[in-house]
Amino acid sequence: MQPRGGYHRTTVLVLLRTAWSVVCAIVLVVSAVAWSTVSTISTGVERSYAIPDDAPRSESGRNILIMGLTTRLDLHGEPLPDDVLRRMQAGESDRGGYNANTLILLRIPDSGPAVAMSVPRDNLVPLSSGGEGKIKEAYGRAKIVEEDRLRAAGTHDRRALERAGREAGRRAQVRTVSAFLDQPVDHLVEISLIGFFHIAEGLGGVDVCLRGPAKDPLSGADFPAGPQHLDAGQALSFVRQRHGLPNGDLDRTRRQQAFLSAVAKRLEGADVTAVQAMVDMAKQDVVLDARFDLVEFARNIPAEVRFDTLPIEGGAHLGGLDVNKVDQEKVRAKVTELASAPPPPPPNDGVPCVD
């Protein structure tokens, strides 16, 4: 049976048209990856049980929640090597916490293009643990509570606390996003800051375009206007910058989308070395839910993915924090609209420029 979208299986390799969804799924399936390699990734990547077997599921298609964490630590809570931190230009290992600064609901339909919906990280929403907060905070708050509970019960092994705390964080983030959007979450993909760096590093950098020059000492961004090639450290600065941008965090969200789109373009001509780098990255930087079947995902991935950003109603200053005001009903209506009628495809005339 031919995979959907006209992909053809060769004796050794499956030639997949690299879609942005593949990149969002942390490049677990890329151009010229053998099915045997997909199976290797499937068994080698970290797994999470944050989505219980009896959780609500989509009646058609699938929803994948992609979470990008700010932590400068590895999957086990260990500090990254000093030379890596230096090349990342993202500060010391104790910075960043466990906020989910990138939140994307990737809707994979039964047919037609998929749609990736970015959820602005500063949206003020009800959190699954109770009360209101920025939607990005659900993960970190739940992690702290769980670790404190376990310490009080006598658990002091650092790795055990890290593992349990992060599982609690994933559960809270999934529940918070699911309730806010009124959408089931069928699968989750988690990647931390080092994963974005490893993606760009493995591909030898990415090509982007800026409408104007950008300089921000906090993120390390220092770029001229126009099209340009960024190395891994510069690419991380590009996706992290929010100060000095016309629309702040919303422009950073668009930069994240531009970065992932640029990665997709690079993967179209990736050689074996780059593909292997993606495989290695997945095994050290990515967490998937236990039911995520990568082989099945690779066989049925849509040929095209489009993306959009869910709406906000402006900013507010509450309790000393800058937050996004949201109309939950408008957001949910937008999710329904995008799921049924994805936005038009981007122009295919080179790298689109962003602020």
Side-chain angles (χ1 to χ4, degrees):
M1 178 179 176
Q2 288 280 12
R4 194 177 71 210
Y7 305 122
H8 301 284
R9 182 174 181 173
T10 66
T11 304
V12 180
L13 302 177
V14 175
L15 303 179
L16 296 174
R17 178 181 299 174
T18 304
W20 184 79
S21 63
V22 179
V23 182
C24 284
I26 317 309
V27 205
L28 299 173
V29 185
V30 294
S31 297
V33 172
W35 287 114
S36 59
T37 303
V38 175
S39 299
T40 299
I41 301 173
S42 188
T43 56
V45 74
E46 182 96 358
R47 293 288 182 165
S48 166
Y49 295 87
I51 302 177
D53 290 342
D54 61 354
R57 303 283 170 174
S58 298
E59 295 181 3
S60 62
R62 286 163 295 166
N63 289 332
I64 303 172
L65 178 62
I66 298 152
M67 303 183 293
L69 301 184
T70 54
T71 180
R72 276 71 162 165
L73 305 175
D74 68 13
L75 286 180
H76 308 292
E78 301 292 342
L80 300 172
D82 289 342
D83 67 311
V84 173
L85 286 171
R86 186 185 68 254
R87 286 185 289 135
M88 286 173 62
Q89 306 177 69
E92 301 300 319
S93 59
D94 59 352
R95 290 189 59 196
Y98 282 88
N99 287 333
N101 270 9
T102 300
L103 287 168
I104 299 169
L105 187 72
L106 179 63
R107 174 65 184 167
I108 307 287
D110 290 329
S111 62
V115 60
M117 295 170 263
S118 292
V119 184
R121 66 173 192 161
D122 288 338
N123 286 1
L124 184 66
V125 304
L127 301 178
S128 64
S129 57
E132 284 189 323
K134 295 183 179 183
I135 196 168
K136 68 178 183 180
E137 296 174 335
Y139 192 115
R141 289 191 185 187
K143 182 178 185 293
I144 291 171
V145 169
E146 179 66 5
E147 290 176 355
D148 288 347
R149 183 188 72 80
L150 291 174
R151 286 192 190 95
T155 300
H156 299 290
D157 179 81
R158 191 158 53 87
R159 284 207 170 191
L161 289 169
E162 180 75 10
R163 184 167 55 252
R166 290 182 72 156
E167 277 290 84
R170 292 167 192 137
R171 286 193 297 271
Q173 197 67 66
V174 166
R175 290 171 182 167
T176 297
V177 174
S178 178
F180 175 58
L181 301 182
D182 193 26
Q183 290 286 319
V185 173
D186 303 291
H187 298 296
L188 71 84
V189 176
E190 175 189 299
I191 182 171
S192 57
L193 206 60
I194 185 61
F196 285 95
F197 177 81
H198 281 153
I199 289 173
E201 185 178 52
L203 291 173
V206 295
D207 297 316
V208 301
C209 179
L210 286 172
R211 292 194 179 96
K215 190 175 181 65
D216 172 32
L218 293 176
S219 65
D222 188 2
F223 311 120
Q228 55 205 284
H229 183 79
L230 306 183
D231 64 23
Q234 292 172 322
L236 195 60
S237 295
F238 174 79
V239 298
R240 289 181 56 236
Q241 183 185 1
R242 64 189 174 95
H243 297 283
L245 299 179
N247 298 296
D249 239 24
L250 293 182
D251 281 338
R252 178 158 77 166
T253 295
R254 296 184 183 100
R255 284 184 173 211
Q256 292 168 356
Q257 295 171 346
F259 167 81
L260 293 170
S261 181
V263 171
K265 286 179 169 51
R266 291 286 287 177
L267 284 171
E268 290 174 358
D271 59 18
V272 174
T273 301
V275 169
Q276 186 59 51
M278 296 300 98
V279 172
D280 293 340
M281 181 280 301
K283 289 185 176 182
Q284 65 181 321
D285 300 330
V286 172
V287 179
L288 301 176
D289 67 277
R291 294 180 54 167
F292 201 143
D293 185 336
L294 294 182
V295 174
E296 185 272 337
F297 178 72
R299 291 180 187 274
N300 295 284
I301 188 171
E304 183 182 7
V305 178
R306 303 170 188 176
F307 47 92
D308 208 329
T309 302
L310 296 179
I312 65 170
E313 300 300 305
H317 193 70
L318 298 175
L321 297 175
D322 292 318
V323 301
N324 296 328
K325 295 185 295 183
V326 292
D327 183 322
Q328 190 174 58
E329 294 309 310
K330 286 184 180 178
V331 171
R332 291 176 174 180
K334 186 65 174 180
V335 170
T336 301
E337 174 192 332
L338 290 171
S340 58
N348 190 24
D349 54 357
V351 179
C353 291
V354 295
D355 288 318

